[in-house]
């Protein structure tokens, strides 16, 4: 096999860029955890000395970190004044945790993937699964912080309004279950937006439920939110007006069984709000930056989680609408409609 030298050099260049992105991930985590980005969020120019003083860190380390950030294009550098700053856009991505564009938290998910690589390598050989609860703890916090901005941007302003008649029910008073709620970011947001409704969050992971309860108390919505440890196939309290699953169905070993339980737990005119990572039905159409992220996360986290459970369907994070529709139909649902979408998510209105 003859090697085309120009193609080789181009591919090496691509790999150099990929290595730079990968190694920068650890520095993003440092900047996030040490408060370096937040200290630069006002956009004013700073130096390593000033930033170190503002964050209680050591100047020599901060100097090197700033240089790496500038080389990555994550902060701006003025070579004349030897000063660094964040643009408004960079500040939204790295420092505005409550905003719709925040991404720094997602790097904790990447950290979990590296830390858990030996465990995943083992199941590659054994064929067994790796449960969500068996991952490094930074996965749980990172997942919440990665998905929360999308919920803040779209859940109550676009996704719920796209469900026929549902927003009116929530405003007047409805019963809602959030299945696979994790740390409760989506549940708490809905409770804040619709104070006349009651919300019930369920997750099989006990520590996540504990954190969700804390989050509800911090947000002042504990009077209308209840969190309980339960799986998608055995949560209770039926006749819900809406049941939601956000980016979690594909993690389940038996999504059809979960969907059947959801159908049985819905009020006659209720709706299952199903949100999944955006994916086309054909693999070739997912070979893009979004697919790169989702297939990688699915390899390390989602598929092992599913294979660790009964049935072990292994939908994967890029299931696509056709396979998701089949799950719903196999569970007895007759109405399956794509209500809306974002570049990151497919949003379905599923009804009996």
């Amino acid at each position: 096999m003859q090697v085309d030298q120009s193609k080789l050099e181009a591919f090496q260049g691509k790999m150099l860029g990929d290595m730079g992105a990968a190694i920068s991930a650890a520095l993003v985590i440092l900047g996030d955890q040490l408060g370096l980005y937040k200290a630069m969020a006002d956009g004013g120019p700073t130096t390593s000395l000033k930033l170190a003083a503002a964050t209680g860190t050591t100047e020599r380390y901060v100097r090197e970190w700033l240089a790496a950030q500038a080389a990555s294009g994550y902060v701006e550098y003025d070579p004349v004044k030897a000063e660094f700053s964040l643009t408004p856009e960079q500040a939204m991505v790295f420092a505005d945790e409550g905003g719709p564009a925040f991404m720094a938290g997602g790097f904790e998910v990447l950290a979990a993937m590296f830390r858990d690589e030996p465990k995943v390598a083992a199941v590659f050989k054994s064929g067994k699964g790796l449960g969500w609860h068996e991952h490094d703890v930074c996965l749980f916090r990172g997942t919440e912080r990665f998905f929360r901005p999308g919920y803040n941007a779209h859940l109550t302003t676009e996704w719920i309004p796209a469900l026929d008649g549902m927003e009116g029910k929530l405003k007047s008073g409805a019963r809602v279950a959030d299945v696979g709620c994790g740390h409760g970011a989506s549940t708490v947001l809905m409770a804040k937006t619709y104070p006349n409704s009651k919300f019930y969050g369920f997750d099989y992971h006990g520590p996540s439920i504990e954190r969700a309860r804390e989050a509800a108390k911090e947000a002042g919505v504990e009077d209308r939110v209840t969190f309980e440890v339960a799986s998608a196939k055995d949560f209770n309290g039926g006749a819900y007006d809406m049941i939601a699953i956000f980016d979690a169905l594909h993690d389940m070993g038996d999504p059809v069984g979960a969907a059947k339980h959801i159908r049985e737990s819905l009020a006659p005119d209720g709706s299952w709000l199903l949100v999944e990572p955006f994916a086309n039905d054909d693999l070739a159409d997912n070979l893009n930056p979004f697919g790169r992220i989702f297939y990688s996360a699915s390899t390390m986290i989602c598929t092992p989680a599913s294979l660790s459970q009964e049935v072990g369907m292994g939908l994967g994070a890029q299931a696509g609408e056709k396979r998701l529709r089949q799950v719903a139909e196999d569970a007895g649902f007759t109405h399956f409609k794509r209500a809306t979408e974002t570049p990151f998510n497919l949003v379905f209105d599923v009804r009996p």
Side-chain angles (χ1 to χ4, degrees):
M1 182 174 64
Q2 187 167 352
V3 173
D4 184 314
Q5 188 63 31
S6 62
K7 291 182 179 179
L8 174 61
E9 291 174 359
F11 187 64
Q12 287 179 308
K14 168 182 163 52
M15 292 305 300
L16 183 64
D18 287 353
M19 289 175 65
I23 200 170
S24 296
L27 277 73
V28 171
I29 293 172
L30 279 173
D32 178 43
Q33 294 184 348
L34 294 174
L36 300 173
Y37 293 121
K38 287 183 172 63
M40 300 177 68
D42 63 1
T46 190
T47 64
S48 58
L49 189 62
K50 292 179 181 178
L51 186 57
T55 56
T57 52
T58 303
E59 185 277 332
R60 184 62 190 91
Y61 286 115
V62 172
R63 190 194 324 166
E64 213 71 4
W65 180 85
L66 281 168
Q69 295 296 284
S72 296
Y74 295 169
V75 307
E76 300 301 301
Y77 177 62
D78 182 341
V80 176
K81 296 182 179 180
E83 293 176 330
F84 300 85
S85 62
L86 285 179
T87 66
E89 296 77 21
Q90 291 166 339
M92 285 189 69
V93 168
F94 290 124
D96 184 9
E97 186 147 358
F102 182 72
M103 298 181 72
F107 285 80
E108 289 183 288
V109 177
L110 305 184
M113 292 167 68
F114 276 100
R115 293 176 186 179
D116 294 331
E117 178 273 328
K119 297 178 183 178
V120 178
V123 300
F124 258 69
K125 295 179 180 179
S126 70
K128 298 179 181 179
L130 183 68
W132 176 264
H133 61 283
E134 297 179 274
H135 283 276
D136 189 273
V137 294
C138 66
L139 174 62
F140 316 133
R141 171 179 159 86
T143 298
E144 177 201 359
R145 299 178 76 217
F146 177 71
F147 283 105
R148 190 197 314 140
Y151 301 152
N152 289 343
H154 303 290
L155 174 52
T156 60
T157 59
E158 299 173 24
W159 296 350
I160 289 176
L163 308 182
D164 294 338
M166 188 53 61
E167 186 172 40
K169 291 182 181 180
L170 290 171
K171 287 181 177 179
S172 60
R175 297 182 76 249
V176 179
D178 188 353
V179 179
C181 65
H183 285 191
S186 50
T187 328
V188 169
L189 174 60
M190 290 189 289
K192 290 170 65 176
T193 307
Y194 306 109
N196 293 325
S197 292
K198 296 292 185 181
F199 298 88
Y200 304 83
F202 302 103
D203 200 288
Y204 91 94
H205 187 237
S208 289
I209 288 297
E210 291 176 9
R211 172 58 195 140
R213 289 169 178 161
E214 293 173 1
K217 187 174 182 179
E218 291 166 1
V221 297
E222 69 270 29
D223 61 323
R224 52 188 180 271
V225 177
T226 301
F227 289 105
E228 298 292 342
V229 176
S231 77
K233 292 172 65 175
D234 65 14
F235 67 90
N236 57 26
Y240 293 102
D241 297 291
M242 187 178 85
I243 297 176
I245 295 184
F246 298 103
D247 298 292
L249 184 73
H250 63 270
D251 295 306
M252 298 176 187
D254 184 13
V256 175
K260 287 180 179 178
H261 186 56
I262 287 171
R263 181 171 57 81
E264 294 165 355
S265 302
L266 276 173
D269 59 347
S271 173
W272 174 18
L273 170 58
L274 174 61
V275 180
E276 279 285 294
F278 188 96
N280 297 293
D281 291 324
D282 293 329
L283 186 152
D285 296 327
N286 296 324
L287 303 183
N288 52 53
F290 292 116
R292 183 187 194 187
I293 292 173
F294 289 135
Y295 278 126
S296 297
S298 188
T299 302
M300 300 294 291
I301 302 168
C302 310
T303 301
S306 177
L307 297 184
S308 73
Q309 303 167 49
E310 59 180 352
V311 180
M313 182 177 285
L315 273 177
Q318 292 286 267
E321 182 170 349
K322 182 178 179 180
R323 295 179 71 194
L324 295 170
R325 181 187 297 273
Q326 189 63 57
V327 167
E329 291 178 352
D330 289 347
F333 284 96
T334 59
H335 176 95
F336 187 94
K337 172 187 175 183
R338 186 186 298 198
T340 187
E341 64 186 61
T342 73
F344 280 97
N345 291 104
L346 295 173
V347 181
F348 301 102
D349 184 356
V350 189
R351 306 195 184 207

